[in-house]
Amino acid sequence: MLQFRLLGFPVFIHWTFWVVVALLGGATTADTPFEMQRLVGWMLVALVSLLIHELGHALTMRRFGDPRVIITLHSFGGLAVGSRRLSRKQDILVSAAGPFVQIAVGVALLALLKVWRAESWWVNYVLQQFVFISIVWAVLNLLPIVPLDGGRISLAMFGPRREKVALVLSLVCAVAVGIYAYVSEFYFSLVILGMLAFNNWKRMKGQPENPWMGTH
């Protein structure tokens, strides 16, 4: 793993993160210098935007008194893992903080692009993709699908006694979005949604979940 510290938080980036981000960026068809430049820009944007997202989680955890939070980026996104349990209210706020910060930065950059354009096509491409990832990915992450942030918010709102209600909602939502992905021919997204749905089913049955299928 690539390891470094950011704002005092240990950050670990697993090699599978680069593989999945490259595939999402069109690595299988990038066979010209121009397309390779676009791919590198996409991967850089995904890295920075997701780090901002996880920092939203981590800084909120720190605000709630957690002295040790570790950030990990992996194949299915990121994790900000703390060292103490959160109350239901804190869990909701921590879960919402990542997408909120990510969207806020994306909207701020979108406003900047309304009045300014760089001379370099590559810089403009990177900034536009940053806006797209920061807003669209964050909104999708708020869907009530466990273990996305929206799913974690749903779990916290329903509480432990009604966890199965949140999991059923999550499973139904994952299947619905999966059908849309299939109709729209977003086949790679369909694979990820299928894995999320399967993980939800395992949790409903009381079986161990995939530890990589998480967001914070």
Side-chain angles (χ1 to χ4, degrees), residues 140 143 145 170-197:
L140 291 175
L143 292 173
I145 302 174
S170 172
L171 189 58
V172 170
C173 188
V175 171
V177 178
I179 293 173
Y180 174 80
Y182 176 77
V183 172
S184 304
E185 299 184 352
F186 298 144
Y187 297 125
F188 189 74
S189 298
L190 183 61
V191 171
I192 297 176
L193 286 163
M195 296 185 70
L196 289 173

Side-chain angles (χ1 to χ4, degrees), residues 53 57 90-99 142 149-150 152-153 216:
H53 178 111
H57 294 313
Q90 289 174 339
D91 199 9
I92 291 172
L93 292 174
V94 167
S95 297
L142 286 171
D149 290 322
R152 292 185 63 90
I153 292 172
H216 92 73

Side-chain angles (χ1 to χ4, degrees), residues 106-120:
V107 170
L109 184 55
L110 177 62
L112 175 64
L113 291 177
K114 295 290 186 180
V115 297
W116 175 81
R117 283 289 188 276
E119 294 183 4
S120 167

Side-chain angles (χ1 to χ4, degrees), residues 60-62 64-69 81-92 94 152 156 159-160 163 203 216:
T60 308
M61 289 183 191
R62 180 186 284 174
F64 289 141
D66 196 329
R68 188 176 61 207
V69 181
V81 180
S83 58
R84 60 181 293 270
R85 294 182 62 86
L86 300 170
S87 68
R88 288 173 62 179
K89 180 180 178 180
Q90 289 174 339
D91 199 9
I92 291 172
V94 167
R152 292 185 63 90
E163 179 181 282
R203 181 164 177 169
H216 92 73

Side-chain angles (χ1 to χ4, degrees), residues 167 171 196-207:
L167 292 175
L171 189 58
L196 289 173
F198 180 64
N199 214 47
N200 275 256
W201 180 83
K202 288 175 65 178
R203 181 164 177 169
M204 289 175 63
K205 296 296 183 179
Q207 300 177 14

Side-chain angles (χ1 to χ4, degrees), residues 48-67:
V48 174
S49 185
L50 289 179
L51 281 176
I52 289 173
H53 178 111
E54 296 306 324
L55 281 173
H57 294 313
L59 289 169
T60 308
M61 289 183 191
R62 180 186 284 174
R63 177 67 179 80
F64 289 141
D66 196 329

